[in-house]
Amino acid sequence: MSPDVQPAGNYYDKYRTANPIARRLMRGFLDAFDSLVERVPVSNALEIGCGEGELSIRLARRGFRVRGCDISADIVGEARRRAHAAGVEASFWPQPIETIDVAAEAAPLVVCCEVLEHVDDPLRAIDALAGLARPHLIASVPREPLWRALNMARGKYLGALGNTPGHVNHWGRGAFLQLMSRRFDILQVRSPLPWTMVLCRRR
C-alpha cells in the first residue's frame, strides 16, 4: 500500500456516520460480520487494517483477545482511544500488511475488512493473509460496480465515476470469491449492501 496515495483509516468514519441511509447500510454490514464471527471459536484475533478499531472492539466484547494494525500511527492512536473508552482490552500498532511478520503475528482468526481494495498488490496481500490465518479469515470488499453507482447516485466522486479515493482494486462478488479461492476454502458468504464478505479457512 502506498501511504502517500492511500487515505489512512476509512475515507470517512462510516461506523459513526449520522447519515440515516449510511447507518442502515452499516447495520447490515455489522450484522453480516457478527453472523460470521459466531461461527468461529473465541480465541485470539488479529485485525489487519483496523482503522478506528470498531471491529476489533466488537470482537473484544465477544471475548476475543484482539490485536490490530493499520498503516497510520494517527489512526492507531484513535483505535486505542476508542478501545479505552469502550472499556475493552485490545492492542494496536502501526504496520502495513506488506511488511507484517507473518510467523510472529499469526492468529486463529484474522479480520481484513475494507482493506484489499486499497492495496497495490492484492495477490501478495492474499498470500500474507493465508500465512496469518490459523485457520480462519473474515474479509470484505466493496461490491462493484454497485459501490460506485451508489456513490454517483448520492453525487459523490463524480469526476472519478463514483470511485472512492484510495480504491485501486474493484471486484464484483464472483471475482472476489475467485481471488479468495486462490489460498482459502470459502465457508460462508454474506452480501450486505453494498459489500461482499466471506468467512474462509486457509488450505
Side-chain angles (χ1 to χ4, degrees), residues 19-119:
N19 181 287
I21 295 175
R23 289 177 68 86
R24 171 181 276 188
L25 294 177
M26 285 311 304
R27 280 198 300 272
F29 177 93
L30 293 172
D31 287 347
F33 179 76
D34 288 344
S35 75
L36 296 181
V37 171
E38 287 173 358
R39 297 176 176 272
V40 180
V42 173
S43 57
N44 295 332
L46 169 69
E47 185 179 6
I48 301 293
C50 63
E52 296 86 357
E54 295 292 334
L55 295 183
S56 287
I57 291 168
R58 211 167 183 88
L59 289 169
R61 285 173 170 160
R62 287 178 170 268
F64 285 84
R65 296 174 294 279
V66 184
R67 297 169 293 127
C69 63
D70 201 279
I71 63 171
S72 165
D74 290 340
I75 291 297
V76 164
E78 178 62 18
R80 290 169 178 161
R81 286 188 289 273
R82 292 193 186 188
H84 178 76
V88 301
E89 292 290 332
S91 62
F92 301 100
W93 77 100
Q95 181 142 42
I97 187 173
E98 291 87 350
T99 61
I100 196 165
D101 185 334
V102 170
E105 304 300 343
L109 173 62
V110 174
V111 171
C112 186
C113 288
E114 307 308 282
V115 172
L116 293 171
E117 65 270 23
H118 295 278
V119 300

Side-chain angles (χ1 to χ4, degrees), residues 1 7 20 82-83 101 105 107 116 121 125-126 136 138 154 164 188 198:
M1 191 179 301
R82 292 193 186 188
D101 185 334
E105 304 300 343
L116 293 171
D121 187 344
I126 293 298
H136 290 108
I138 294 175
R154 64 192 185 98
T164 300
Q188 295 284 325
V198 292

